[in-house]
Amino acid sequence: MGKKTLPLASATSPLWIKTVLENFDNFLIDHANCERKANALLMSFIVKYPDRPNIIPGLIELAKEELDHFSETYSFMEKRGLQFTKDEPDPYINQLLAKARHGRDDRFIDRMLISSIVESRGAERFKIISDHVSDPELIEFYNRLWKSELKHSNVFLIMLYGEYPKERILKRLEELINIEAKILDSLEFRAALH
């Protein structure tokens, strides 16, 4: 893909982009919701982990970027006359979060690693979208988001490396990357980011 990101254990099926392009309006609504929830998650990390001051500035920066992405995605919705619909549970995210361990440190590590994996998967999918849509504005937007998500996936890892031994993080990361591939393989394709 040209830029370094997490080595995911599987690639997105071509059937996913086919499903997205068949109902791009639904995809945009879901995408906006994903950006909104990413911002909320980052803000919740700041509240839950005030004893980790080294990561708070990075979380604030990421939260601002996710809010910008939400705003931009919402602008595309407005141009198409779209409104939010009831936000459905995201089976991909919910199954990943169900794999997070308990215990303060283990849960923190897993939530950060899951965030990194989700950003990496998002980067892969935004690149696929930018390669398949025909609207020049959407091509530019999703190409820019691809680059941003690549950066985000690495930022979570860098934060964790400042808190724990790298070997501990990489061992759990490998486990979660394999879990993510199995979850992805088990899901039906939807006009959604995940």
Side-chain angles (χ1 to χ4, degrees), residues 10 21 34-35 39 44 55 66 70 84 87 89 92 116 122 125 132 135 137 144 156 162 181 186 188:
S10 68
L21 294 176
C34 288
E35 298 291 359
N39 171 271
S44 77
I55 68 165
E66 298 292 7
F70 168 73
F84 281 112
D87 188 22
Y92 170 80
S116 184
R125 290 187 165 187
H132 285 84
D135 179 331
E137 278 190 290
R144 194 164 30 85
F156 287 105
S186 73
E188 292 181 17

Tab-separated table of all heavy atoms in Angstrom, residues 10 21 34-35 39 44 55 66 70 84 87 89 92 116 122 125 132 135 137 144 156 162 181 186 188:
chain	number	residue	atom	x	y	z
A	10	SER	N	-5.108	-10.664	7.165
A	10	SER	CA	-5.941	-10.953	5.998
A	10	SER	C	-6.208	-9.664	5.240
A	10	SER	O	-6.076	-8.574	5.796
A	10	SER	CB	-7.266	-11.593	6.425
A	10	SER	OG	-8.053	-10.647	7.130
A	21	LEU	N	-20.251	-0.009	-2.846
A	21	LEU	CA	-20.597	0.814	-4.010
A	21	LEU	C	-22.066	0.667	-4.395
A	21	LEU	O	-22.656	1.592	-4.962
A	21	LEU	CB	-19.692	0.466	-5.194
A	21	LEU	CG	-18.211	0.813	-5.004
A	21	LEU	CD1	-17.390	0.342	-6.193
A	21	LEU	CD2	-18.013	2.309	-4.757
A	34	CYS	N	-18.850	6.018	12.496
A	34	CYS	CA	-17.564	5.452	12.946
A	34	CYS	C	-16.606	6.554	13.401
A	34	CYS	O	-15.920	6.410	14.417
A	34	CYS	CB	-16.920	4.629	11.828
A	34	CYS	SG	-17.732	3.057	11.499
A	35	GLU	N	-16.560	7.651	12.651
A	35	GLU	CA	-15.675	8.760	13.025
A	35	GLU	C	-16.137	9.389	14.343
A	35	GLU	O	-15.330	9.720	15.206
A	35	GLU	CB	-15.634	9.819	11.917
A	35	GLU	CG	-15.096	9.329	10.584
A	35	GLU	CD	-13.610	8.999	10.568
A	35	GLU	OE1	-12.928	9.165	11.595
A	35	GLU	OE2	-13.117	8.547	9.515
A	39	ASN	N	-13.951	9.390	17.925
A	39	ASN	CA	-13.690	10.580	18.735
A	39	ASN	C	-14.128	10.349	20.175
A	39	ASN	O	-13.396	10.650	21.122
A	39	ASN	CB	-14.417	11.782	18.134
A	39	ASN	CG	-14.373	12.992	19.050
A	39	ASN	OD1	-15.250	13.167	19.893
A	39	ASN	ND2	-13.352	13.803	18.890
A	44	SER	N	-12.929	9.170	25.918
A	44	SER	CA	-13.144	8.300	27.086
A	44	SER	C	-11.816	7.762	27.628
A	44	SER	O	-11.659	7.593	28.832
A	44	SER	CB	-14.101	7.149	26.755
A	44	SER	OG	-13.465	6.144	26.003
A	55	ILE	N	0.362	9.898	27.465
A	55	ILE	CA	-0.437	9.580	26.272
A	55	ILE	C	-1.542	10.608	26.010
A	55	ILE	O	-2.086	10.638	24.904
A	55	ILE	CB	-1.066	8.166	26.362
A	55	ILE	CG1	-2.136	8.104	27.454
A	55	ILE	CG2	0.004	7.099	26.548
A	55	ILE	CD1	-3.031	6.886	27.371
A	66	GLU	N	-10.162	12.932	14.437
A	66	GLU	CA	-11.372	12.138	14.215
A	66	GLU	C	-12.599	13.043	14.125
A	66	GLU	O	-13.508	12.793	13.331
A	66	GLU	CB	-11.567	11.099	15.319
A	66	GLU	CG	-10.451	10.059	15.427
A	66	GLU	CD	-10.367	9.089	14.262
A	66	GLU	OE1	-11.079	9.238	13.252
A	66	GLU	OE2	-9.564	8.150	14.359
A	70	PHE	N	-15.118	13.338	11.023
A	70	PHE	CA	-16.571	13.271	11.172
A	70	PHE	C	-17.222	14.446	10.455
A	70	PHE	O	-18.185	14.286	9.691
A	70	PHE	CB	-16.957	13.272	12.657
A	70	PHE	CG	-18.429	13.490	12.886
A	70	PHE	CD1	-19.337	12.486	12.609
A	70	PHE	CD2	-18.896	14.706	13.348
A	70	PHE	CE1	-20.700	12.689	12.790
A	70	PHE	CE2	-20.252	14.914	13.542
A	70	PHE	CZ	-21.160	13.906	13.260
A	84	PHE	N	-28.797	11.126	9.542
A	84	PHE	CA	-28.449	9.978	10.362
A	84	PHE	C	-29.665	9.091	10.561
A	84	PHE	O	-30.785	9.577	10.687
A	84	PHE	CB	-27.912	10.413	11.731
A	84	PHE	CG	-26.485	10.853	11.685
A	84	PHE	CD1	-26.152	12.178	11.903
A	84	PHE	CD2	-25.479	9.954	11.415
A	84	PHE	CE1	-24.839	12.589	11.850
A	84	PHE	CE2	-24.158	10.355	11.360
A	84	PHE	CZ	-23.845	11.670	11.578
A	87	ASP	N	-28.268	4.266	14.785
A	87	ASP	CA	-26.948	3.635	14.705
A	87	ASP	C	-27.056	2.176	15.138
A	87	ASP	O	-27.404	1.889	16.280
A	87	ASP	CB	-25.962	4.401	15.586
A	87	ASP	CG	-24.536	3.932	15.405
A	87	ASP	OD1	-24.226	3.348	14.358
A	87	ASP	OD2	-23.728	4.149	16.322
A	89	PRO	N	-25.622	-1.618	16.060
A	89	PRO	CA	-24.392	-2.156	16.655
A	89	PRO	C	-23.434	-2.646	15.555
A	89	PRO	O	-23.869	-3.159	14.531
A	89	PRO	CB	-24.890	-3.325	17.510
A	89	PRO	CG	-26.338	-3.065	17.731
A	89	PRO	CD	-26.819	-2.305	16.526
A	92	TYR	N	-18.348	-6.178	14.028
A	92	TYR	CA	-16.886	-6.272	13.960
A	92	TYR	C	-16.262	-5.696	15.242
A	92	TYR	O	-15.472	-6.372	15.926
A	92	TYR	CB	-16.409	-5.503	12.724
A	92	TYR	CG	-14.918	-5.280	12.620
A	92	TYR	CD1	-14.073	-6.287	12.160
A	92	TYR	CD2	-14.367	-4.048	12.945
A	92	TYR	CE1	-12.701	-6.060	12.041
A	92	TYR	CE2	-13.010	-3.819	12.827
A	92	TYR	CZ	-12.179	-4.829	12.375
A	92	TYR	OH	-10.824	-4.598	12.263
A	116	SER	N	-5.630	0.333	17.333
A	116	SER	CA	-4.597	0.339	16.299
A	116	SER	C	-4.986	-0.558	15.120
A	116	SER	O	-4.849	-0.177	13.954
A	116	SER	CB	-3.267	-0.121	16.913
A	116	SER	OG	-2.242	-0.037	15.971
A	122	GLY	N	-9.194	0.271	8.718
A	122	GLY	CA	-9.813	1.437	8.088
A	122	GLY	C	-8.942	2.011	6.986
A	122	GLY	O	-9.436	2.375	5.916
A	125	ARG	N	-9.219	-0.085	3.903
A	125	ARG	CA	-10.517	0.072	3.231
A	125	ARG	C	-10.686	1.457	2.612
A	125	ARG	O	-11.291	1.585	1.539
A	125	ARG	CB	-11.643	-0.284	4.196
A	125	ARG	CG	-11.624	-1.791	4.460
A	125	ARG	CD	-12.774	-2.294	5.248
A	125	ARG	NE	-12.808	-3.761	5.119
A	125	ARG	CZ	-13.782	-4.519	5.590
A	125	ARG	NH1	-14.813	-3.974	6.219
A	125	ARG	NH2	-13.744	-5.820	5.433
A	132	HIS	N	-11.749	2.978	-6.126
A	132	HIS	CA	-12.939	2.471	-6.822
A	132	HIS	C	-14.056	3.487	-7.051
A	132	HIS	O	-14.936	3.243	-7.873
A	132	HIS	CB	-13.507	1.258	-6.074
A	132	HIS	CG	-12.693	0.024	-6.266
A	132	HIS	ND1	-11.571	-0.254	-5.508
A	132	HIS	CD2	-12.822	-1.002	-7.138
A	132	HIS	CE1	-11.048	-1.400	-5.904
A	132	HIS	NE2	-11.782	-1.874	-6.889
A	135	ASP	N	-16.092	9.830	-8.193
A	135	ASP	CA	-16.188	11.246	-7.840
A	135	ASP	C	-14.814	11.751	-7.389
A	135	ASP	O	-14.254	11.259	-6.404
A	135	ASP	CB	-17.215	11.400	-6.710
A	135	ASP	CG	-17.397	12.834	-6.240
A	135	ASP	OD1	-16.447	13.646	-6.328
A	135	ASP	OD2	-18.504	13.146	-5.771
A	137	GLU	N	-13.889	14.368	-5.755
A	137	GLU	CA	-13.857	14.821	-4.356
A	137	GLU	C	-13.745	13.636	-3.401
A	137	GLU	O	-13.008	13.692	-2.417
A	137	GLU	CB	-15.123	15.614	-4.027
A	137	GLU	CG	-15.086	17.060	-4.454
A	137	GLU	CD	-16.267	17.816	-3.883
A	137	GLU	OE1	-17.400	17.567	-4.331
A	137	GLU	OE2	-16.043	18.638	-2.969
A	144	ARG	N	-6.847	10.861	1.311
A	144	ARG	CA	-6.310	11.591	2.463
A	144	ARG	C	-6.591	10.826	3.762
A	144	ARG	O	-5.734	10.726	4.640
A	144	ARG	CB	-6.935	12.987	2.497
A	144	ARG	CG	-6.253	13.947	3.416
A	144	ARG	CD	-6.626	15.403	3.148
A	144	ARG	NE	-7.941	15.640	2.615
A	144	ARG	CZ	-9.052	15.752	3.360
A	144	ARG	NH1	-8.986	15.633	4.668
A	144	ARG	NH2	-10.214	15.999	2.787
A	156	PHE	N	-0.998	4.637	18.250
A	156	PHE	CA	-1.398	3.840	19.422
A	156	PHE	C	-0.246	2.948	19.893
A	156	PHE	O	-0.020	2.789	21.090
A	156	PHE	CB	-2.624	2.983	19.104
A	156	PHE	CG	-3.897	3.764	19.007
A	156	PHE	CD1	-4.472	4.037	17.784
A	156	PHE	CD2	-4.525	4.237	20.153
A	156	PHE	CE1	-5.655	4.751	17.693
A	156	PHE	CE2	-5.705	4.947	20.079
A	156	PHE	CZ	-6.277	5.219	18.839
A	162	GLY	N	5.741	3.473	25.100
A	162	GLY	CA	6.213	4.363	26.152
A	162	GLY	C	5.744	3.940	27.540
A	162	GLY	O	6.248	4.447	28.539
A	181	ALA	N	-8.601	-11.202	12.035
A	181	ALA	CA	-8.780	-11.847	10.725
A	181	ALA	C	-9.908	-12.875	10.776
A	181	ALA	O	-10.721	-12.973	9.849
A	181	ALA	CB	-7.472	-12.496	10.275
A	186	SER	N	-15.718	-14.093	9.405
A	186	SER	CA	-17.009	-14.650	9.832
A	186	SER	C	-18.186	-13.711	9.549
A	186	SER	O	-19.335	-14.113	9.681
A	186	SER	CB	-16.972	-14.949	11.338
A	186	SER	OG	-17.021	-13.737	12.087
A	188	GLU	N	-20.830	-11.065	7.552
A	188	GLU	CA	-21.453	-10.783	6.261
A	188	GLU	C	-20.983	-9.413	5.778
A	188	GLU	O	-20.668	-8.542	6.585
A	188	GLU	CB	-22.970	-10.757	6.401
A	188	GLU	CG	-23.597	-12.114	6.715
A	188	GLU	CD	-25.103	-12.030	6.808
A	188	GLU	OE1	-25.695	-11.026	6.329
A	188	GLU	OE2	-25.692	-12.967	7.357
